[in-house]
Amino acid sequence: MRILIANDDGIYSPGLLALAQVAKEFAEVRIYAPDVEQSSMGHAITHSRPLSLRPTPIGSFEAYRVNGTPADCVALGVHMWEKVDLVLSGINLGPNLGNAMWHSGTLAAAKQAALLGLRGIAFSTPTQGSEPDFARLRPYVTRVLEMLIAEPSLCLVNVNLPPEPSGICWAHQSVRHYDGRVVPGQDPMGRQHFWLTVVPVEEVEEGTDRWAVERGLVSMTPLRLDLTDAEALNRLRAPPASR
Ligand code: MN
């Protein structure tokens, strides 16, 4: 079995090494990751300039740093390394819960795998000002991989790990709230500028990823590529009601 590992925090992130160390218990591992941080780049791909990759061993792992986005890394990695079975992304330094999935470069790397007909799993964890305790997370990453590898029908899964996990659960994506805010400020010259930032979401809906992680549970959210609003489509396609 071959596992390709990518991320959006960049190839030198400790989260990537932590994930690779767990993955090697399951398979042959190779790393293709961005040369600099690409967080919140979503599913961007680079098409207006060529990409290059440079061998950059990470620990004992064969690894390549790519001057592109997370999705670029997976596209290139799958092209370079034949017969990849599974793509893992992360472990991201920061959560990717609910609507944050729309911006996530971490998830985009896993999504690129799904687009290519492979399986992708994204891993994220909050940082809370300090580096995550990867030794504490490790048994849960192992257990999640055992569970998900055994479910080949799942092509794309988003996993969030709380800092001190006490269990694992399946969870829905929470979409009722959006945590993105524009915060105005001033530069040293007195000119106005803006931070696009996130604020904590207060309300959480039961059974969602955010709800699970707040309760110390690892959330696993199965995703699909089809964004179609099936309910709306059926309604719009239905013949008009007779009067
Ligand atoms: Mn990131």
Side-chain angles (χ1 to χ4, degrees):
M1 186 174 176
R2 288 184 165 182
I3 295 182
L4 187 156
I5 299 193
N7 74 350
D8 76 357
D9 292 332
I11 195 161
Y12 301 110
S13 170
L16 180 136
L17 179 59
L19 183 55
Q21 283 166 342
V22 178
K24 78 164 187 228
E25 305 296 328
F26 293 85
E28 197 183 341
V29 169
R30 216 185 262 191
I31 295 167
Y32 291 85
D35 54 359
V36 295
E37 181 168 352
Q38 298 281 332
S39 290
S40 297
M41 290 298 282
H43 206 133
I45 55 165
T46 301
H47 67 83
S48 55
R49 61 171 175 85
L51 291 167
S52 62
L53 52 83
R54 294 170 196 278
T56 309
I58 296 294
S60 59
F61 295 100
E62 183 173 343
Y64 300 87
R65 66 185 200 272
V66 177
N67 59 345
T69 65
D72 289 336
C73 292
V74 172
L76 200 51
V78 167
H79 174 78
M80 299 298 294
W81 199 28
E82 283 178 358
K83 296 180 185 159
V84 169
D85 298 286
L86 176 63
V87 173
L88 306 181
S89 179
I91 303 170
N92 188 59
L93 303 184
N96 277 305
L97 297 162
N99 277 319
M101 287 189 211
W102 289 101
H103 305 300
S104 171
T106 306
L107 179 59
K111 251 192 292 165
Q112 183 64 31
L115 284 177
L116 294 169
L118 303 169
R119 302 180 63 200
I121 306 170
F123 289 88
S124 306
T125 193
T127 51
Q128 297 179 322
S130 60
E131 214 157 90
D133 182 351
F134 291 112
R136 191 189 279 270
L137 300 181
R138 184 175 179 141
Y140 289 90
V141 176
T142 301
R143 183 71 194 117
V144 165
L145 281 180
E146 284 168 355
M147 292 171 74
L148 296 183
I149 287 172
E151 278 293 337
S153 64
L154 298 174
C155 68
L156 182 61
V157 182
N158 188 41
V159 179
N160 278 272
L161 300 123
E164 297 178 16
S166 60
I168 301 175
C169 74
W170 296 103
H172 204 270
Q173 179 187 13
S174 61
V175 292
R176 201 178 299 165
H177 301 281
Y178 180 58
D179 57 5
R181 293 283 185 280
V182 176
V183 179
Q186 265 191 356
D187 76 6
M189 308 300 289
R191 295 170 296 203
Q192 193 170 37
H193 63 195
F194 301 90
W195 283 96
L196 294 190
T197 186
V198 294
V199 294
V201 171
E202 301 285 332
E203 267 179 76
V204 297
E205 311 107 81
E206 190 171 340
T208 61
D209 48 7
R210 201 178 293 279
W211 177 88
V213 168
E214 280 193 5
R215 272 151 195 79
L217 299 172
V218 177
S219 69
M220 301 186 298
T221 304
L223 301 172
R224 60 180 177 191
L225 296 175
D226 183 357
L227 297 176
T228 310
D229 182 341
E231 205 181 301
L233 184 63
N234 286 337
R235 178 164 38 86
L236 295 164
R237 273 180 175 164
S242 55
R243 302 183 178 218

